[in-house]
Amino acid sequence: MSGDDMNPAAAPQPVEDVQGDGRWMSQHTRFVQECKDAEPDVLFVGDSMVQLMQQYEIWRELFSPLHALNFGIGGDTTCNVLWRLQNGELENIRPKVVVVWVGTNNHEHTAEQVAGGVLAIAQLLTSRLPKAKIVVLGLLPRGERPNPLREKNAAVNGFLRSWLPRLGQAQFLDVGGEFVHSDGTISPQDMFDFLHLTSAGYRAVAKPLSDLLLQILEETPEERRASLV
């Protein structure tokens, strides 16, 4: 499976304005405008997991100093992120790293389709930003107790772990290892609604991500070339 037109999770589409207030398109338009004004070294793109990170101290502590832009919109699927990236959210910017975190909202798609949608995003990024590294974050477990959606997200991660290395400049980072306790439950201290992260939950995710971003940003071009050989 790859991100092709046969995969419904890899078909770019905007969010339908069901509520009638144009919120989603307004956020997209603001991001396109930010591209004209900012020079980010790191771009975050995805759903509410990305969007809400900006509201916590951890963002100001670890990611703002890296000249990071946050292009997260709650509820987005792989299809919505693909559409946004194809319609202005990559114009005029040349980030060194793009962090992608999306897929848990793709309820209509199979695990393989979701992973193919994420792969399509990574392929688009590598073609538009050939010098950038792509970091794809694994989908987190969800629900207080074991459930089919948790199993599906784990299956998505399995596909991504296998497929992404083929792109060369993309890598998979699993940040969900600490959330499921030995009895199979997730704590509300980590996920307040058993889906979205608390401040403590974001800290657990941010540490390995921050370490990886610093490592990538500190590499010299020579090191980078050598690592791709």
Side-chain angles (χ1 to χ4, degrees):
M1 166 76 70
S2 64
D4 54 29
D5 294 335
M6 301 298 289
N7 177 7
Q13 61 183 45
V15 167
E16 185 183 348
D17 184 23
V18 179
Q19 289 86 6
D21 59 6
R23 273 182 306 130
W24 187 86
M25 193 59 74
S26 297
Q27 289 178 90
H28 166 64
T29 303
R30 175 166 59 85
F31 294 156
V32 172
Q33 184 58 45
E34 281 189 53
C35 288
K36 296 174 181 172
D37 306 325
E39 295 182 6
D41 284 335
V42 182
L43 173 66
F44 283 73
V45 64
D47 54 31
S48 60
M49 306 307 290
V50 170
Q51 182 181 32
L52 295 174
M53 190 187 298
Q54 204 167 8
Q55 297 181 11
Y56 289 94
E57 187 60 35
I58 199 78
W59 179 268
R60 291 180 288 279
E61 219 175 275
L62 295 181
F63 301 120
S64 286
L66 302 181
H67 305 289
L69 273 185
N70 186 311
F71 285 179
I73 299 183
D76 265 16
T77 65
T78 52
C79 306
N80 308 141
V81 168
L82 265 173
W83 189 91
R84 291 199 278 125
L85 294 177
Q86 289 182 357
N87 287 275
E89 290 188 19
L90 293 177
E91 299 297 320
N92 307 307
I93 57 172
R94 292 291 174 267
K96 296 172 183 171
V97 193
V98 183
V99 179
V100 178
W101 206 6
V102 69
T104 199
N105 295 318
N106 283 67
H107 303 302
E108 298 174 9
H109 305 128
T110 66
E112 189 172 9
Q113 288 171 338
V114 177
V118 176
L119 186 67
I121 292 169
Q123 288 170 327
L124 173 67
L125 289 166
T126 54
S127 66
R128 294 279 187 94
L129 302 168
K131 294 182 178 177
K133 290 269 189 159
I134 317 301
V135 175
V136 174
L137 297 186
L139 302 186
L140 296 183
R142 52 185 293 168
E144 183 180 11
R145 301 179 185 283
N147 64 83
L149 284 179
R150 197 189 283 188
E151 292 169 19
K152 178 179 161 183
N153 281 4
V156 171
N157 291 347
F159 287 120
L160 291 173
R161 197 178 272 109
S162 145
W163 294 344
L164 283 168
R166 300 176 204 166
L167 290 184
Q169 65 198 81
Q171 58 187 300
F172 177 81
L173 180 64
D174 187 351
V175 289
E178 295 185 17
F179 293 112
V180 178
H181 299 174
S182 57
D183 64 355
T185 63
I186 287 174
S187 166
Q189 272 87 38
D190 291 324
M191 297 182 184
F192 58 86
D193 59 356
F194 307 106
L195 172 64
H196 297 98
L197 294 168
T198 62
S199 177
Y202 271 117
R203 283 205 173 271
V205 165
K207 182 68 172 73
L209 176 57
S210 171
D211 289 347
L212 178 60
L213 292 179
L214 288 171
Q215 179 188 326
I216 293 172
L217 292 170
E218 286 169 5
E219 282 182 358
T220 65
E222 292 74 23
E223 286 173 333
R224 192 167 298 174
R225 274 198 294 274
S227 71
L228 292 175
V229 172

